[in-house]
Amino acid sequence: MTRVLARHRRLVTAALVVVAAMLAGVLTGCSGVPRSSVPQPVRTLVDGGNPTPELTVRPEPGDDPRKTVDKFLQANVSKDERHPTARTFLTAAAAGKWQDGAATVVDDYRIGVPADNRVEVTGRVVGTLTASGVYSPTLTGSGRTSEHDFVFQLTQVDGQWRISDPPAGLLIRRSDFESAYRRRPLYFFNSKESRLVPDLRYSAAEQQSLASWLLAALIAGPQQSVLRNEFPDQLEAERAKVTLSDPDLNDPVKIQLPGLSQVEPAVAERVAAQIAYTFYSFQAAQPITMFDGPNPVRLGGSLPEQFIRDTFASVSPESSATPVLYYLRNGALMGPTGAAVPGPVGTGKPGLRWVAVTGTSPGLDVVGVGLASATVLTKGTPSAPLRPVALPAAATTRPEFRPGDTDEVWLGAGTKLLQAVGTRVRTVQVVAATPPAGSASVPANPTGRRLSAVRFSPDGTQIALVYATATTSSVWVGAVGSDTARVDGIHQITPQDWRVTDVAWSDSQSVRAIGKLISTDDIEIWSCYADGSSPQAPSAAGLPGIPDAVAAGSGVSTVVSAAGTVWREQPGGGWQDAFAPEKSIGTAPIFAG
């Protein structure tokens, strides 16, 4: 029997025991963090790359308190399981109590002049990381983040300075995180058990340590309560382990899961799918076999005992279809060739201001939905008459189909999020997130803010909303489960000085946003992961004006509309007409597929 994370706390507790025993302090994660106000991209954290060399700093006779703290901070960046090098700079009592699981990420730090056996380290906090690898950005704004003082108390031990009272957790510079940590998404099932959904985490661990961490984190479960963890009650989590093999020999990775053979093969298959996608981030196509004791675990149907990610392509978080571009011109729906879509939605008579598209096929079998007036939603297909749906309040966003449903449409109306199924319209409940344990983030709630954009992730489990106040507008991300009239865990992912006007999902892990940077009034087209990490700002050069809408999708170039024309991002940077010059006139681009 499978479970949702909110149930069966026993497995979570057991998994945390595995984490503590195997990895102790390695279980941190991170990401790139907000860039400065200069519109230059921050390097995205990608898997692979050159490994970070281990530091060789050590206490030396004659080191003064400032030098001791400096070396300790250098040793905070390490793949060692309990940061043993860093602990050599602590007193014995402090080394036994120091909690090195969580971390604070600063843009940079300055080490002050010692006074009264104290050393203050000052830095601008740009993010925090929990022991389970969950990243939370600091959202007061790039370049506007307040500085924080971290106090280190020192004492002399056998004539050498040691830190007797360090701040809790690691203190890491942004540049060190960018070079040492990697994005390691975990994968869990949606509420229908039909598709895997990424749960973003970060870790500096490698090889066997990383494999053990991934397995323990999977057993512990997802951040989002709307996701399902298929690891069953029968599993003896405290005895679970993973053993890597030589990839050059193509031997399988062996994962011992005592008790898994007691479940139905279909459950074991879903467990295997979670493992295959999670381990792919560093094991690529190396085969995996699950064991219960000496025997391999049988999977459902004709699936092999040795499996890889592609074995479970049917539950991939990304669609295999190539997204198709649509847009509006003079109130008519235009297709991917730059020509009007046949039927009522392509005539321009409805006077569509926004459009949502789903059900795309080579024959342009499109379901279109448009906002003909502020309080009337119109639905229809290329061949069917459009039908009006009355809204309880004036719409303030474009409509958006929930992926996989050709009749469930969401949109914003002032401060309310609405859902229209058929002719029925209801208000969606939006529940603010509780910051993860160990995070320094301040709980935030968008209640009372005006909605200006509503966009679903490709898997239909996550939703990005743009909420605006009189001075700022930000992207918030939440989760939608089996209760389709509720958004859980809504949290802000963009800084306060990003004035966002629209957002779109590039894939199930990342978004694109458009708007202005308040501090400079520069036009910006941002990208970042769904947790707010690794923001970048590709150049907006070449656009004829401020972009008013953005469309994105997996495997396709981002498209924006600006000054009544449609523009496509180029692989090498910059923007050019989405079609031939005579066909580029249009607004409200959207991808479907």
Side-chain angles (χ1 to χ4, degrees), residues 17-79:
V17 172
V18 176
V19 173
M22 290 182 174
L23 299 170
V26 178
L27 302 186
T28 58
C30 82
S31 66
V33 288
R35 59 176 176 80
S36 68
S37 60
V38 179
Q40 297 294 326
V42 170
R43 183 181 65 82
T44 302
L45 289 183
V46 295
D47 298 324
N50 296 324
T52 303
E54 290 298 321
L55 296 167
T56 58
V57 294
R58 61 179 62 87
E60 300 283 356
D63 285 348
D64 62 15
R66 191 175 188 276
K67 188 65 174 178
T68 299
V69 171
D70 184 20
K71 288 183 175 182
F72 171 78
L73 293 177
Q74 292 180 53
N76 274 205
V77 184
S78 172
K79 296 185 288 292

Side-chain angles (χ1 to χ4, degrees), residues 270-364:
R270 291 193 290 271
V271 170
Q274 287 186 233
I275 290 173
Y277 272 85
T278 298
F279 274 59
Y280 187 82
S281 71
F282 82 108
Q283 288 300 111
Q286 190 171 359
I288 300 171
T289 300
M290 300 186 303
F291 287 85
D292 186 349
N295 302 315
V297 176
R298 292 178 56 249
L299 302 181
S302 59
L303 292 174
E305 293 176 350
Q306 289 188 17
F307 54 85
I308 59 175
R309 184 189 66 167
D310 293 346
T311 305
F312 307 101
S314 62
V315 294
S316 170
E318 305 296 342
S319 172
S320 59
T322 301
V324 177
L325 178 65
Y326 294 86
Y327 62 102
L328 293 178
R329 181 189 295 167
N330 298 324
L333 181 62
M334 312 298 290
T337 64
V341 171
V345 295
T347 63
K349 293 181 180 179
L352 302 177
R353 293 194 293 115
W354 290 105
V355 67
V357 180
T358 189
T360 307
S361 73
L364 294 181

Side-chain angles (χ1 to χ4, degrees), residues 189-195 226 228 230 270 402-405 408 461 481-482 484:
F189 275 91
N190 60 8
S191 58
K192 297 180 180 180
E193 297 180 317
S194 61
R195 199 168 188 175
V226 301
R228 292 183 64 91
E230 300 294 333
R270 291 193 290 271
R402 187 176 184 187
D405 194 314
E408 184 180 335
T461 300
S482 56
T484 59

Side-chain angles (χ1 to χ4, degrees), residues 3-374:
R3 63 174 175 81
V4 178
L5 179 61
R7 304 198 307 267
H8 311 304
R9 298 294 182 185
R10 180 179 62 81
L11 270 182
V12 174
T13 302
L16 292 177
V17 172
V18 176
V19 173
M22 290 182 174
L23 299 170
V26 178
L27 302 186
T28 58
C30 82
S31 66
V33 288
R35 59 176 176 80
S36 68
S37 60
V38 179
Q40 297 294 326
V42 170
R43 183 181 65 82
T44 302
L45 289 183
V46 295
D47 298 324
N50 296 324
T52 303
E54 290 298 321
L55 296 167
T56 58
V57 294
R58 61 179 62 87
E60 300 283 356
D63 285 348
D64 62 15
R66 191 175 188 276
K67 188 65 174 178
T68 299
V69 171
D70 184 20
K71 288 183 175 182
F72 171 78
L73 293 177
Q74 292 180 53
N76 274 205
V77 184
S78 172
K79 296 185 288 292
D80 288 336
E81 293 186 358
R82 282 186 52 81
H83 295 82
T85 301
R87 291 178 189 275
T88 63
F89 294 92
L90 305 176
T91 64
K97 295 186 298 182
W98 181 50
Q99 300 296 316
D100 60 348
T104 300
V105 185
V106 293
D107 190 48
D108 202 349
Y109 53 67
R110 302 187 308 277
I111 302 175
V113 176
D116 298 326
N117 295 348
R118 290 159 50 96
V119 174
E120 289 189 357
V121 177
T122 304
R124 296 183 184 276
V125 178
V126 292
T128 58
L129 304 119
T130 69
S132 59
V134 178
Y135 174 74
S136 298
T138 299
L139 301 171
T140 53
S142 52
R144 299 171 55 190
T145 310
S146 59
E147 290 191 333
H148 184 80
D149 291 330
F150 302 87
V151 179
F152 294 78
Q153 186 72 44
L154 292 94
T155 189
Q156 284 195 321
V157 177
D158 296 330
Q160 293 190 33
W161 288 102
R162 294 292 183 267
I163 300 169
S164 58
D165 188 11
L170 304 169
L171 180 62
I172 310 292
R173 288 180 296 198
R174 175 177 63 182
S175 59
D176 291 329
F177 263 120
E178 290 176 355
S179 63
Y181 283 70
R182 299 289 183 268
R183 178 168 48 95
R184 303 296 187 188
L186 309 180
Y187 286 88
F188 301 95
F189 275 91
N190 60 8
S191 58
K192 297 180 180 180
E193 297 180 317
S194 61
R195 199 168 188 175
L196 288 168
V197 178
D199 187 351
L200 295 183
R201 308 291 178 94
Y202 303 87
S203 176
E206 293 182 351
Q207 299 307 313
Q208 185 62 54
S209 291
L210 176 60
S212 298
W213 177 69
L214 290 173
L215 179 60
L218 274 175
I219 294 173
Q223 303 175 58
Q224 303 173 28
S225 61
V226 301
L227 299 182
R228 292 183 64 91
N229 192 0
E230 300 294 333
F231 286 85
D233 291 338
Q234 294 92 328
L235 185 71
E236 299 177 38
E238 65 280 359
R239 293 174 53 206
K241 67 178 182 179
V242 56
T243 304
L244 298 185
S245 60
D246 188 344
D248 293 334
L249 300 177
N250 205 36
D251 290 336
V253 174
K254 297 178 177 63
I255 299 182
Q256 185 66 236
L257 296 171
L260 189 61
S261 60
Q262 301 175 37
V263 305
E264 297 178 359
V267 176
E269 177 185 340
R270 291 193 290 271
V271 170
Q274 287 186 233
I275 290 173
Y277 272 85
T278 298
F279 274 59
Y280 187 82
S281 71
F282 82 108
Q283 288 300 111
Q286 190 171 359
I288 300 171
T289 300
M290 300 186 303
F291 287 85
D292 186 349
N295 302 315
V297 176
R298 292 178 56 249
L299 302 181
S302 59
L303 292 174
E305 293 176 350
Q306 289 188 17
F307 54 85
I308 59 175
R309 184 189 66 167
D310 293 346
T311 305
F312 307 101
S314 62
V315 294
S316 170
E318 305 296 342
S319 172
S320 59
T322 301
V324 177
L325 178 65
Y326 294 86
Y327 62 102
L328 293 178
R329 181 189 295 167
N330 298 324
L333 181 62
M334 312 298 290
T337 64
V341 171
V345 295
T347 63
K349 293 181 180 179
L352 302 177
R353 293 194 293 115
W354 290 105
V355 67
V357 180
T358 189
T360 307
S361 73
L364 294 181
D365 183 14
V366 179
V367 175
V369 62
L371 210 55
S373 67

Side-chain angles (χ1 to χ4, degrees), residues 480-503:
V480 182
S482 56
D483 182 355
T484 59
R486 176 185 171 104
V487 175
D488 284 300
I490 195 76
H491 58 284
Q492 185 178 340
I493 68 167
T494 58
Q496 298 288 61
D497 59 353
W498 291 15
R499 189 187 294 274
V500 179
T501 56
D502 195 19
V503 65

Side-chain angles (χ1 to χ4, degrees), residues 278-550:
T278 298
F279 274 59
Y280 187 82
S281 71
F282 82 108
Q283 288 300 111
Q286 190 171 359
I288 300 171
T289 300
M290 300 186 303
F291 287 85
D292 186 349
N295 302 315
V297 176
R298 292 178 56 249
L299 302 181
S302 59
L303 292 174
E305 293 176 350
Q306 289 188 17
F307 54 85
I308 59 175
R309 184 189 66 167
D310 293 346
T311 305
F312 307 101
S314 62
V315 294
S316 170
E318 305 296 342
S319 172
S320 59
T322 301
V324 177
L325 178 65
Y326 294 86
Y327 62 102
L328 293 178
R329 181 189 295 167
N330 298 324
L333 181 62
M334 312 298 290
T337 64
V341 171
V345 295
T347 63
K349 293 181 180 179
L352 302 177
R353 293 194 293 115
W354 290 105
V355 67
V357 180
T358 189
T360 307
S361 73
L364 294 181
D365 183 14
V366 179
V367 175
V369 62
L371 210 55
S373 67
T375 57
V376 177
L377 183 71
T378 59
K379 293 184 178 182
T381 68
S383 57
L386 297 173
R387 65 183 189 275
V389 178
L391 300 175
T396 53
T397 76
R398 72 166 76 190
E400 174 81 345
F401 281 106
R402 187 176 184 187
D405 194 314
T406 59
D407 199 33
E408 184 180 335
V409 180
W410 294 47
L411 71 163
T415 61
K416 294 182 178 180
L417 180 61
L418 303 179
Q419 178 201 66
V421 179
T423 58
R424 180 190 177 195
V425 179
R426 59 180 175 174
T427 300
V428 177
Q429 182 183 9
V430 179
V431 181
T434 300
S439 171
S441 298
V442 177
N445 193 312
T447 300
R449 304 186 188 192
R450 179 179 178 273
L451 273 164
S452 59
V454 176
R455 304 301 288 273
F456 271 105
S457 64
D459 52 52
T461 300
Q462 300 178 88
I463 190 169
L465 307 173
V466 175
Y467 280 104
T469 66
T471 57
T472 66
S473 51
S474 307
V475 179
W476 296 64
V477 172
V480 182
S482 56
D483 182 355
T484 59
R486 176 185 171 104
V487 175
D488 284 300
I490 195 76
H491 58 284
Q492 185 178 340
I493 68 167
T494 58
Q496 298 288 61
D497 59 353
W498 291 15
R499 189 187 294 274
V500 179
T501 56
D502 195 19
V503 65
W505 290 83
S506 299
D507 51 39
S508 58
Q509 300 184 43
S510 57
V511 299
R512 298 298 299 270
I514 58 174
K516 282 188 173 184
L517 191 65
I518 295 176
S519 58
T520 63
D521 207 36
D522 290 337
I523 299 171
E524 298 285 5
I525 302 174
W526 297 285
S527 66
C528 68
Y529 288 114
D531 59 3
S533 64
S534 296
Q536 299 182 53
S539 173
L543 294 177
I546 300 173
D548 49 54
V550 60

